[in-house]
Amino acid sequence: MHANSGDEQLIHRALELARQGLGLASPNPYVGAVIADAHGNVVGTGSYTYSGVKHAEILALEAAGNKARGGTLYINLEPHAHQGRTPPCADALIAAGIHRVVASMPDPNPKVSGQGFEKLRAAGVRVEVGQMEEQARRLNEAFARYIRHGTPLVTLKAAMTLDGKIAPPPAEVLERHDGIPPGGWVTSEVARAHVQELRHRNDALMVGAGTILSDNPLLTDRSGRPRRRPLLRVILDSRLRLPLESRLVQNAAADRKNDVLVFCAAADEQKKAQLEELGIRVETIPAVEADGRPDLPAILRRLGQLEITSVMIEGGATVNWTALASNAVDKVFLYYAPKILAGSGSIPFAAGAGFLHMGQAAHVKRIQVHRFGEDFAVEGYVRDPYEE
Ligand SMILES: NC(=O)c1ccc[n+]([C@@H]2O[C@H](COP(=O)([O-])OP(=O)(O)OC[C@H]3O[C@@H](n4cnc5c(N)ncnc54)[C@H](OP(=O)(O)O)[C@@H]3O)[C@@H](O)[C@H]2O)c1
């Protein structure tokens, strides 16, 4: 509590505290706060976790007590000026005698953005905005997308070979050729462990019925870290092909967490009743395309209504293409293993018609490359989550 540090170090600390809200704060933003007294000594910290209700800056103020007077608040997001689930934090900061606020970025909610800073400035508080802004914007990108558009941030994640294959040829083809049972991971254990971190950061996962039928996955968050709401497992399944004996269905039936949501286009009432009996939610979303499949943009709007701020698509080739073709993708996280499958029978990252001209290709920007042992991953944005 007595570190004597510069602004950058303390805002970095606020960002670290904000990250403690991963898996907990959604659908609200991640916020961390540090209060330093007039001599630069840290006298209070806080991080927002939703269930505690109190905002990070209020927790920091409580920890600081009288020592907050004349001090500086370091925070990754603008303190709010309006009455929400909690009273305005800006008022509490003013009342506590905070003399300076160093913040990374304004509130991404256009309805309230700037109001907190305005209120603080009007009360004579010195406000400086923009410290470590890029990191702060990345941290709250899902909240930004959700609060501006009412739909979740969509990350398209896949694991593939260097030549862009997500799986060898389907089981029926393999059996015909060599009798070797299908299976085997594309990427290494260390890359797959990182996928669990991504799952932990997301409110929902999404795959198509094809992935359930071929891989029989569980689609759970196995990061080992706490989450306030269970990870919602979303399955796109027009005609309810989801097998009752699949691991996903059996797991949902055993755990009864209400965390599997199947979107179909035309429900077979008997199968729907069987799934619901096992604790699985089934919703019908009408098809708009001739393929008779539930409309992905409508599904995303529905997820937004359910306060899902982020969804990671881990689908097979069909869902991956639907997501790209319907302009649903905000960012990609593509893992590559140093392997080459080759052949026209193996499964490409995204099937379907594909983009027919180079000028139409999804352009991934602000690329970051991550290494995972022998594997690497490309993270980047197809669309700015903060765009209007
Ligand atoms: N390496 C990886 O990262 C990775 C990840 C996942 C899967 N895979 C591989 O991908 C292969 C499976 O590919 P897949 O294309 O069959 O799986 P998929 O994309 O997960 O599922 C496709 C199915 O989803 C259903 N669906 C329902 N609504 C849809 C919609 N709006 N848009 C698109 N699809 C919709 C369709 O079946 P209905 O028409 O019956 O509804 C469609 O056939 C397997 O080999 C698996 O191992 C690899």
Side-chain angles (χ1 to χ4, degrees):
M1 281 284 193
H2 293 288
N4 209 327
S5 343
D7 287 350
E8 198 174 317
Q9 203 182 333
L10 292 180
I11 201 85
H12 185 264
R13 175 118 178 245
L15 271 162
E16 289 288 300
L17 287 161
R19 285 191 190 97
Q20 290 182 6
L22 288 172
L24 302 172
S26 172
N28 288 335
Y30 305 117
V31 189
V34 174
I35 293 175
D37 67 13
H39 310 289
N41 299 317
V42 173
V43 290
T45 61
S47 59
Y48 177 68
T49 56
Y50 190 97
S51 49
V53 179
K54 283 182 186 164
H55 284 193
E57 51 273 56
I58 301 301
L59 292 168
L61 280 178
E62 285 180 0
N66 282 339
K67 292 182 189 148
R69 194 153 296 278
T72 299
L73 168 75
Y74 296 87
I75 191 161
N76 61 304
L77 200 70
E78 176 179 9
H80 73 299
H82 62 286
Q83 178 72 41
R85 267 175 96 221
T86 60
C89 293
D91 290 346
L93 293 166
I94 294 162
I98 288 288
H99 134 104
R100 179 173 167 243
V101 169
V102 177
S104 301
M105 59 181 280
D107 193 316
N109 182 352
K111 287 193 194 126
V112 299
S113 187
Q115 292 175 13
F117 292 147
E118 217 171 278
K119 193 170 213 178
L120 290 165
R121 283 192 179 112
V125 178
R126 233 171 82 201
V127 176
E128 294 157 36
V129 187
Q131 278 272 352
M132 301 193 91
E133 189 174 4
E134 173 62 18
Q135 290 94 321
R137 280 169 71 91
R138 275 182 185 258
L139 182 65
N140 274 313
E141 63 192 14
F143 174 74
R145 177 80 200 158
Y146 166 74
I147 206 71
R148 285 162 182 245
H149 298 271
T151 52
L153 180 94
V154 176
T155 302
L156 186 54
K157 171 256 155 188
M160 57 188 130
T161 58
L162 283 182
D163 56 334
K165 310 291 190 185
I166 58 169
E172 57 276 17
V173 178
L174 282 175
E175 273 157 24
R176 200 163 55 232
H177 285 310
D178 55 20
I180 300 172
W185 298 106
V186 179
T187 45
S188 60
E189 211 169 298
V190 51
R192 298 201 311 278
H194 185 259
V195 172
Q196 296 300 326
E197 297 299 319
L198 292 190
R199 286 184 177 181
H200 185 67
R201 288 180 214 169
N202 277 272
D203 291 343
L205 293 187
M206 181 185 287
V207 301
T211 294
I212 304 290
L213 289 167
S214 64
D215 297 354
N216 199 12
L218 264 182
L219 303 173
T220 47
D221 170 357
R222 298 188 286 278
S223 66
R225 280 207 279 279
R227 44 187 314 139
R228 187 177 69 82
R229 303 184 290 178
L231 177 66
L232 184 67
R233 300 176 279 178
V234 176
I235 318 297
L236 309 188
D237 186 7
S238 320
R239 295 160 287 143
L240 300 185
R241 291 191 288 153
L242 183 60
L244 298 179
E245 65 280 7
S246 59
R247 290 170 74 214
L248 177 93
V249 172
Q250 291 301 314
N251 171 269
D255 285 2
R256 297 282 164 169
K257 284 197 206 151
N258 201 22
D259 63 349
V260 176
L261 175 54
V262 177
F263 287 107
C264 62
D268 162 347
E269 288 304 326
Q270 196 190 342
K271 180 75 179 274
K272 182 174 182 231
Q274 283 174 321
L275 288 168
E276 285 173 346
E277 185 86 352
L278 292 169
I280 288 176
R281 286 142 77 186
V282 179
E283 292 194 13
T284 305
I285 297 273
V288 293
E289 302 286 341
D291 61 12
R293 290 172 174 158
D295 181 47
L296 185 57
I299 288 171
L300 294 174
R301 288 194 295 275
R302 175 68 187 132
L303 292 176
Q305 285 171 0
L306 296 172
E307 298 192 325
I308 296 296
T309 68
S310 55
V311 58
M312 183 156 78
I313 298 182
E314 295 201 49
T318 316
V319 166
N320 291 351
W321 168 243
T322 303
L324 287 165
S326 58
N327 195 28
V329 179
D330 294 294
K331 68 182 292 190
V332 295
F333 217 108
L334 303 178
Y335 295 82
Y336 291 87
K339 298 173 185 171
I340 296 171
L341 261 174
S344 50
S346 48
I347 313 290
F349 161 56
F355 297 112
L356 301 182
H357 301 282
M358 200 47 89
Q360 297 169 336
H363 193 160
V364 183
K365 298 189 175 140
R366 291 160 58 213
I367 293 274
Q368 285 188 328
V369 179
H370 310 274
R371 286 299 302 254
F372 301 101
E374 273 200 327
D375 302 334
F376 66 94
V378 174
E379 178 183 12
Y381 295 82
V382 177
R383 168 167 64 205
D384 179 359
Y386 285 82
E387 80 177 17
E388 291 307 322

